[in-house]
Coordinates of all heavy atoms in Angstrom, one line a residue:
Chain Q
G40 N 163.5 56.4 20.9 CA 164.1 55.7 22.0 C 163.6 56.1 23.4 O 163.9 55.5 24.4
L41 N 162.8 57.2 23.4 CA 162.3 57.6 24.7 C 160.8 57.4 24.8 O 160.2 57.7 25.9 CB 162.6 59.1 24.9 CG 164.1 59.5 24.9 CD1 164.3 61.0 25.1 CD2 164.8 58.7 26.1
G42 N 160.1 57.0 23.8 CA 158.7 56.8 23.8 C 157.9 58.1 23.9 O 158.4 59.2 23.4
L43 N 156.8 58.1 24.6 CA 156.0 59.3 24.8 C 156.2 59.7 26.2 O 156.0 59.0 27.1 CB 154.5 59.0 24.5 CG 154.1 59.0 23.0 CD1 154.3 57.6 22.5 CD2 152.6 59.4 22.9
R44 N 156.5 61.0 26.4 CA 156.6 61.6 27.7 C 155.6 62.7 27.9 O 155.4 63.5 27.1 CB 158.0 62.1 27.9 CG 159.1 61.0 27.9 CD 160.5 61.6 28.1 NE 160.9 62.4 26.9 CZ 162.0 63.1 26.8 NH1 162.8 63.3 27.9 NH2 162.3 63.8 25.7
L45 N 155.0 62.6 29.1 CA 153.9 63.6 29.4 C 154.5 64.9 29.7 O 155.3 65.0 30.6 CB 153.1 63.0 30.6 CG 151.9 63.8 31.0 CD1 150.8 63.9 29.9 CD2 151.3 63.2 32.3
I46 N 154.0 66.0 29.1 CA 154.5 67.3 29.3 C 153.6 68.0 30.3 O 154.0 68.4 31.4 CB 154.5 68.1 28.0 CG1 155.3 67.4 26.9 CG2 155.0 69.5 28.2 CD1 155.2 68.1 25.5
H47 N 152.3 68.1 30.0 CA 151.3 68.7 30.9 C 150.0 68.0 30.7 O 149.8 67.4 29.6 CB 151.1 70.2 30.6 CG 152.2 71.1 31.0 ND1 152.4 71.5 32.4 CD2 153.1 71.8 30.4 CE1 153.4 72.3 32.5 NE2 153.9 72.5 31.3
Y48 N 149.1 68.1 31.7 CA 147.8 67.5 31.5 C 146.8 68.5 32.2 O 147.1 69.4 32.9 CB 147.8 66.2 32.2 CG 148.0 66.2 33.7 CD1 146.9 66.2 34.6 CD2 149.3 66.1 34.2 CE1 147.1 66.3 35.9 CE2 149.5 66.1 35.6 CZ 148.4 66.2 36.4 OH 148.6 66.2 37.8
S49 N 145.5 68.2 31.9 CA 144.4 68.9 32.5 C 143.3 67.9 32.8 O 142.8 67.3 31.8 CB 143.9 70.0 31.6 OG 142.7 70.6 32.0
N50 N 142.9 67.8 34.0 CA 141.8 66.8 34.3 C 140.4 67.4 34.1 O 139.4 66.7 34.0 CB 141.9 66.3 35.8 CG 143.0 65.2 35.9 OD1 143.3 64.5 34.9 ND2 143.6 65.1 37.0
T51 N 140.3 68.7 34.0 CA 139.1 69.4 33.8 C 139.3 70.8 33.4 O 140.4 71.4 33.7 CB 138.1 69.3 35.0 OG1 136.8 69.8 34.7 CG2 138.7 70.2 36.2
A52 N 138.4 71.5 32.7 CA 138.6 72.9 32.4 C 138.9 73.7 33.6 O 138.3 73.6 34.6 CB 137.3 73.4 31.7
G53 N 139.9 74.6 33.4 CA 140.3 75.5 34.5 C 141.4 75.0 35.3 O 141.9 75.7 36.2
T54 N 141.8 73.7 35.1 CA 142.9 73.1 35.9 C 143.9 72.5 35.0 O 143.6 72.0 34.0 CB 142.4 72.0 36.9 OG1 142.0 70.9 36.1 CG2 141.3 72.5 37.8
T55 N 145.2 72.6 35.4 CA 146.3 72.0 34.7 C 147.3 71.4 35.7 O 147.3 71.8 36.8 CB 147.0 73.0 33.8 OG1 147.6 74.0 34.5 CG2 146.1 73.6 32.7
G56 N 148.1 70.5 35.2 CA 149.2 69.9 36.0 C 150.4 69.6 35.2 O 150.3 69.5 34.0
K57 N 151.5 69.4 35.9 CA 152.8 69.2 35.2 C 153.0 67.7 35.1 O 152.7 66.9 36.0 CB 153.9 69.8 36.0 CG 153.9 71.3 36.1 CD 155.1 71.8 36.9 CE 155.1 73.4 36.9 NZ 156.2 73.9 37.7
G58 N 153.5 67.3 34.0 CA 153.9 65.9 33.7 C 155.3 65.6 34.0 O 155.9 66.2 34.9
E59 N 155.9 64.7 33.2 CA 157.3 64.3 33.4 C 158.3 65.3 32.9 O 159.4 65.5 33.5 CB 157.5 63.0 32.6 CG 156.6 61.9 32.9 CD 156.8 60.7 31.9 OE1 156.1 60.8 30.9 OE2 157.6 59.8 32.2
V60 N 158.0 66.1 31.8 CA 158.9 67.0 31.2 C 158.3 68.4 30.9 O 158.2 68.8 29.8 CB 159.5 66.4 29.9 CG1 160.5 65.3 30.2 CG2 158.4 65.9 29.0
P61 N 157.9 69.1 32.0 CA 157.2 70.4 31.8 C 158.0 71.6 31.5 O 157.4 72.6 31.0 CB 156.5 70.5 33.1 CG 157.4 69.9 34.1 CD 158.0 68.8 33.4
D62 N 159.3 71.5 31.7 CA 160.1 72.7 31.6 C 160.2 73.3 30.2 O 160.4 72.5 29.2 CB 161.5 72.5 32.1 CG 161.5 72.2 33.6 OD1 160.5 72.5 34.3 OD2 162.5 71.6 34.1
G63 N 159.9 74.6 30.0 CA 159.9 75.2 28.7 C 158.6 75.2 28.0 O 158.5 75.8 26.9
Y64 N 157.6 74.7 28.7 CA 156.2 74.6 28.1 C 155.2 75.1 29.1 O 155.4 75.0 30.3 CB 155.9 73.1 27.8 CG 156.8 72.4 26.9 CD1 157.8 71.6 27.5 CD2 156.7 72.4 25.5 CE1 158.7 70.8 26.7 CE2 157.6 71.7 24.7 CZ 158.6 70.9 25.3 OH 159.4 70.2 24.5
S65 N 154.1 75.7 28.5 CA 153.0 76.1 29.4 C 151.7 75.7 28.6 O 151.7 75.6 27.4 CB 153.0 77.6 29.7 OG 152.9 78.3 28.5
V66 N 150.7 75.5 29.4 CA 149.4 75.2 28.9 C 148.3 76.0 29.6 O 148.5 76.6 30.6 CB 149.0 73.7 29.0 CG1 149.9 72.8 28.2 CG2 149.1 73.3 30.5
S67 N 147.1 76.0 28.9 CA 145.9 76.6 29.5 C 144.7 75.8 29.1 O 144.8 75.1 28.1 CB 145.8 78.1 29.0 OG 145.6 78.1 27.6
R68 N 143.7 75.9 30.0 CA 142.5 75.1 29.7 C 141.3 76.0 30.0 O 140.6 75.8 31.0 CB 142.4 73.8 30.5 CG 141.3 72.9 30.1 CD 141.7 72.0 29.0 NE 140.5 71.2 28.6 CZ 140.2 70.0 29.2 NH1 140.8 69.6 30.3 NH2 139.2 69.3 28.7
A69 N 141.0 76.9 29.1 CA 139.9 77.9 29.3 C 138.6 77.2 29.1 O 137.6 77.7 29.7 CB 140.1 79.1 28.4
N70 N 138.5 76.2 28.4 CA 137.2 75.5 28.1 C 137.5 74.0 27.9 O 138.6 73.6 27.9 CB 136.5 76.1 26.9 CG 137.3 76.1 25.7 OD1 137.6 75.0 25.2 ND2 137.6 77.2 25.1
T71 N 136.4 73.2 27.8 CA 136.5 71.8 27.7 C 137.2 71.4 26.4 O 138.0 70.4 26.4 CB 135.2 71.1 27.8 OG1 134.6 71.4 29.1 CG2 135.2 69.6 27.6
D72 N 137.0 72.1 25.3 CA 137.4 71.6 24.0 C 138.9 71.9 23.6 O 139.5 71.2 22.8 CB 136.5 72.2 22.9 CG 135.1 71.8 23.1 OD1 134.8 70.8 23.8 OD2 134.2 72.4 22.5
D73 N 139.5 72.9 24.2 CA 140.8 73.4 23.7 C 141.8 73.3 24.8 O 141.6 73.6 25.9 CB 140.6 74.9 23.2 CG 139.6 75.0 22.2 OD1 139.8 74.4 21.1 OD2 138.6 75.8 22.4
F74 N 143.0 72.9 24.3 CA 144.1 72.7 25.2 C 145.4 73.1 24.5 O 146.2 72.2 24.1 CB 144.2 71.3 25.7 CG 145.1 71.0 26.9 CD1 145.2 71.8 28.0 CD2 145.9 69.9 26.9 CE1 146.0 71.6 29.0 CE2 146.8 69.6 28.0 CZ 146.8 70.5 29.0

Side-chain angles (χ1 to χ4, degrees):
Chain Q
L41 298 177
L43 282 85
R44 292 180 291 170
L45 182 64
I46 304 171
H47 284 287
Y48 65 93
S49 169
N50 281 333
T51 189
T54 68
T55 63
K57 295 181 179 180
E59 302 169 275
V60 289
D62 294 343
Y64 306 94
S65 63
V66 292
S67 61
R68 188 86 184 276
N70 57 63
T71 297
D72 298 343
D73 301 300
F74 191 45

